[in-house]
Amino acid sequence: MRSDTGELYRAFAEREAHGNSPIYQELAERVAEDGQLGALLDGLPAVKRQPNLLFAAVRHLGGPVTEGWPAFRDWTTEQWAGVSATMLERRTQTNEAGRCATLLPLLAALPQPLALIEVGASAGLCLYPDRYRYRYRFPAREEGGREREAGAPVAEFGAVVSPVTLDCAVSGPVPFPGRPDSPGFPGSLREWLPEVVWRAGIDLDPLDVRAEEDMRWLESLVWPEQTHRLERLRGAVRVARAEPPLLVRGDLNATVREVVAQAPAGATPVVFHSAVLAYLPPEEREEFAATVRRLPGHWISNEAVSVLPAVARRLPRPAPSGSGLFVLALDERPVAFTGPHGQSLDWFDEA
Ligand SMILES: C[S@@+](CC[C@H](N)C(=O)[O-])C[C@H]1O[C@@H](n2cnc3c(N)ncnc32)[C@H](O)[C@@H]1O
């Protein structure tokens, strides 16, 4: 297949699946070369041809994604009516609670209590940073002449009881309260959680944590080898089910003002988003930025480097090429590079 769709699948195999999912890498490489499946995909609107959407739809319908290419191709072409209907009906809405580990240092530093407003919230699992536990670790590196053990813990703290512990590798001067080597650290962090008094999300198509079909869709979006993410997702769903979030259906530009206006007086409104604005054309991202600049409170963005030019221009150093890292920013001031699923936090010296 020598088409845009073929290129899309080849690029996905090389840049996204490579090193993360051998299963999806192989399937994407084979789809890229398959004329029949390529023609079927080309019958869908361009935004609906994404590899993640195809693979999630096949899994959602019980199709084989782990049994090799021939089984995948045969099943998918035979069941194309159902697969394409699912791809047209659903979106890639991966909801990754792990991203809370990268948002937390900023949330904890803002005037408390907080009213959280997440745009592009999916099922709202990132609206519970105060309900998860956190384990921050150093990556392996030299420090003060001695080698730190790979993954040595910096800090572990969070909600007293939680089915979810978020692991995050930290580097740079993450503003933990207290220095990692000081006596009493990390005990001093036990209270270091934001106080959230209100939480609301906006999404074009909010997923309901109480709806089995919606949760099955979220599970289908987790790549097959990433069983730790599946466990985390299930735990976060349990957290959210205990107190389901207020989720508003709509476009973020059309609704963000009215949702922020509902935040209770006395709380700091925090508009935040991760892995969302890339779905918008540049002019709609600009419209959103112009709106949020005029809103009360603070704005936290966690997006791919090129998504917000005003943030990218202020980066103190370029992101390592091909890393896929996101930039975390507070009110358009970049503070860190972050792993796209919250697995790492590299704080800038200048931040
Ligand atoms: C990849 S998911 C990320 C979900 C969540 N922010 C997280 O980090 O786990 C992107 C979400 O943004 C939503 N979205 C995309 N464009 C949107 C828009 N214009 N207005 C509201 N939501 C939007 C999608 O429906 C999807 O649920």
Side-chain angles (χ1 to χ4, degrees):
M1 192 201 315
R2 289 275 153 205
S3 64
D4 288 353
T5 308
E7 280 311 313
L8 185 69
Y9 278 73
R10 255 184 294 279
F12 174 85
E14 278 166 29
R15 295 191 207 132
E16 298 188 48
H18 178 75
N20 291 312
S21 173
I23 293 171
Y24 278 4
Q25 183 179 349
E26 197 215 335
L27 292 183
E29 283 166 353
R30 303 298 285 266
V31 173
E33 302 303 326
D34 191 88
Q36 189 184 3
L37 209 41
L40 292 172
L41 285 164
D42 282 339
L44 297 174
V47 292
K48 291 289 182 180
R49 295 175 199 156
Q50 303 146 273
N52 266 330
L53 192 55
L54 171 67
F55 299 147
V58 171
R59 291 175 80 197
H60 191 64
L61 297 171
V65 293
T66 56
E67 283 118 70
W69 165 247
F72 176 86
R73 183 202 49 219
D74 293 350
W75 190 93
T76 304
T77 46
E78 276 162 26
Q79 304 295 326
W80 184 249
V83 172
S84 57
T86 303
M87 291 174 77
L88 289 170
E89 182 197 338
R90 296 279 183 182
R91 304 166 183 276
T92 49
Q93 294 193 272
T94 308
N95 202 181
E96 183 46 82
R99 293 175 179 137
C100 287
T102 58
L103 305 177
L104 195 78
L106 288 181
L107 293 174
L110 294 175
Q112 309 289 312
L114 305 180
L116 297 181
I117 302 101
E118 184 184 12
V119 301
S122 183
L125 303 180
C126 293
L127 283 164
Y128 298 85
D130 51 336
R131 302 291 163 81
Y132 302 137
R133 291 193 61 74
Y134 298 86
R135 194 183 296 125
Y136 292 95
R137 294 175 180 276
F138 287 121
R141 64 184 169 134
E142 283 266 317
E143 246 194 35
R146 72 196 156 92
E147 175 126 3
R148 260 183 214 280
E149 189 191 330
V154 182
E156 183 166 344
F157 63 97
V160 177
V161 179
S162 177
V164 178
T165 297
L166 304 177
D167 273 293
C168 181
V170 293
S171 45
V174 182
F176 292 117
R179 286 191 47 78
D181 294 329
S182 66
F185 187 91
S188 56
L189 291 178
R190 275 196 203 104
E191 303 303 318
W192 196 54
L193 278 180
E195 184 191 352
V196 180
V197 290
W198 195 74
R199 46 193 116 221
I202 296 168
D203 204 284
L204 283 175
D205 191 8
L207 296 176
D208 184 346
V209 288
R210 292 157 296 193
E212 285 307 325
E213 270 302 282
D214 282 359
M215 294 307 97
R216 274 201 336 102
W217 177 243
L218 277 188
E219 292 197 6
S220 303
L221 286 162
V222 178
W223 294 7
E225 297 91 340
Q226 300 181 337
T227 48
H228 65 290
R229 292 186 61 210
L230 193 59
E231 288 311 307
R232 186 158 74 201
L233 170 64
R234 289 176 177 159
V237 168
R238 286 211 295 283
V239 167
R241 275 187 177 156
E243 185 198 338
L246 166 65
L247 292 181
V248 174
R249 180 179 297 272
D251 175 72
L252 51 86
N253 273 319
T255 50
V256 68
R257 260 180 301 255
E258 73 194 54
V259 176
V260 171
Q262 292 170 38
T268 303
V270 184
V271 174
F272 74 99
H273 49 89
S274 59
V276 172
L277 293 193
Y279 291 90
L280 274 64
E283 61 278 11
E284 291 182 24
R285 293 179 209 160
E286 271 310 313
E287 181 188 344
F288 177 70
T291 303
V292 183
R293 283 181 199 127
R294 288 195 298 268
L295 289 172
H298 291 278
W299 172 19
I300 295 175
S301 58
N302 187 39
E303 298 285 350
V305 175
S306 60
V307 166
L308 285 171
V311 172
R313 272 196 297 276
R314 295 169 79 179
L315 277 173
R317 53 184 150 98
S321 79
S323 64
L325 290 174
F326 285 5
V327 188
L328 178 70
L330 175 64
D331 300 324
E332 300 182 270
R333 183 173 55 88
V335 298
F337 287 130
T338 65
H341 295 138
Q343 67 272 44
S344 65
L345 179 60
D346 178 11
W347 210 267
F348 301 139
D349 289 333
E350 300 79 356

